Amino acid sequence: MFSQELPIYTALVLLVLPLYYLYSKASCRSKNPAVLPTNWPILHMFPSFLANLHKMNDYFTLVLAGSGHNFRAHGPPGTGMRLFVTCDPANIRHIFTTNYTNFPKGAEFAAIFDIMSGGIFTIDGEPARRQRTKIKSVLSSLRLVARIEAWCRDKVENNLLLLFTHMASTGTSFNMQELMSRLMFDLAAMPLFGVDPGLLSLDMPPMEAAVAMDTVMEVAYFRVVVPASCWKLMRWLNIGPERKLKAAHKVLRVFVMEMTERRMINASSVGNGKQHEGVDIMSSFLDDPYYTEDDMFNALTISYMIAARDTVGTALTWIFYNLSQNPNIVSIIRNELSPIASHKVAAHPDAMVIFEPDETKSLVYLRAVLYETLRLYPPAPLERKMVAANDIMPSGHEVHAGDTILISLHSMGRMEGIWGKDCLNYNPNRWLSEDGNELRYVPSHKFLAFSSGPRMCLGKDIAVMQMKTVIASTLWNFDVEVMEGQCIEPKSSCILEMKKGLIVKLKKREMLH
């Protein structure tokens, strides 16, 4: 099928390379690059996208800031590259709420994330509604929520803080991003399978499945920003990122199989006196024949693992980074924690202070810190939608059936017209009422970190609980120092992870008794 297309792609590459070189040189010389991508003959804006592939989020922010929060982009004829890029809240409300049925994920989105095809994040219409209803029912179980909170609290106390204590006592620097990834991998798998993978421990066991998830999101990013015919050709030839992705898919399928087997072994020993055995998300889906077919089951479990691990783990890393740059904010968080911690310190002066999920639920400033981080560093910086039928956006732009819409969450948090002149400043106070006792209302189409409309994140409260528990327990017990000389930049991925991680050192805080 692709053999006849190969000479076409060879010619395309030969055309792109010199234009890419010229565009890169022009961009380097120009102190004020053009607002819109250069529209080349035949290739249109494809070379501009190619030249900025490694910094697409910043590139979108630059272009959107100079073009009124919206712009169009086109690629070579026949590639299907017809994009409408936006961070306009009015357009986002239209896409996610007012006329959301006209903006599905689409078949190409499911192809891009093929390992999750059939899962909640890749489907539309009635199948999506059915799965969403099922997941909402599962996550509303008080017994399961109580277990998720207990698992989080216990994992922080018995693994994370012990590991931090060891790092602090030995003065060892470490990659905070990797530790947050390990922590959230365990906390994602435990509610799903009822089994602890045990990645967060002193011996730092291999984390092949977690690395495979990173590969899925990195290759998906590549698939999102290049014409579909390009990556499909690479998949057919089994070369480049597609070869790496194929291996990652195999690792993830093996992981799901192994965890399912461990779950069955645990379930067979329910009579061992452990009252919480059998309380897991998988149990609810295995009771429904609709979800037990192998491909569907893999799609569901891998979708949940990626959503639960990547979003929270990435957000936690950026929170620690931003707090290290703002010690005054750390002091305010500790002051907010102090009334809770005081009686714990009085009762056990030399013990680590653990904050229960119920104790941090009402902490307003800590939540403002989380939201401010998510505003500037949304874990999923880009949303992708298709246009089902011709439409006119609130901004006045026409979109046509078959167009792709890219919503830049990363850019939206950096727009002066949306957040004010201090939009680039890290300022949790922007989320607080004048007296500081309540959160200000910010509509979801302006703050899209938890999505909006019918696809609003069902795990929002769980994610906030986990982030609060980790941040509160870490900041009260330790000072976190980010090592100097690091280049902090995001990797090219659908998840806003740091390219080289975040290297930190910890120092145990001396408490006044």
Side-chain angles (χ1 to χ4, degrees), residues 21-41:
Y21 176 78
L22 290 172
Y23 181 85
S24 300
K25 287 291 186 182
S27 297
C28 290
R29 287 195 301 267
S30 173
K31 293 182 179 179
N32 297 297
V35 169
L36 289 174
T38 304
N39 194 13
W40 299 98

Side-chain angles (χ1 to χ4, degrees), residues 144-203:
L144 177 61
V145 171
R147 285 302 295 144
I148 291 174
E149 291 178 349
W151 273 318
C152 180
R153 187 249 186 239
D154 294 346
K155 177 64 71 169
V156 168
E157 179 181 22
N158 299 323
N159 294 95
L160 184 66
L161 293 185
L162 286 180
L163 193 57
F164 280 175
T165 299
H166 171 75
M167 297 298 188
S169 64
T170 58
T172 305
S173 60
F174 64 94
N175 187 344
M176 180 66 85
Q177 180 168 271
E178 181 186 340
L179 254 64
M180 292 301 101
S181 176
R182 288 175 176 273
L183 168 68
M184 292 314 304
F185 189 95
D186 286 352
L187 288 179
M190 291 163 77
L192 183 60
F193 300 102
V195 174
D196 183 358
L199 288 192
L200 189 68
S201 59
L202 281 173
D203 58 349

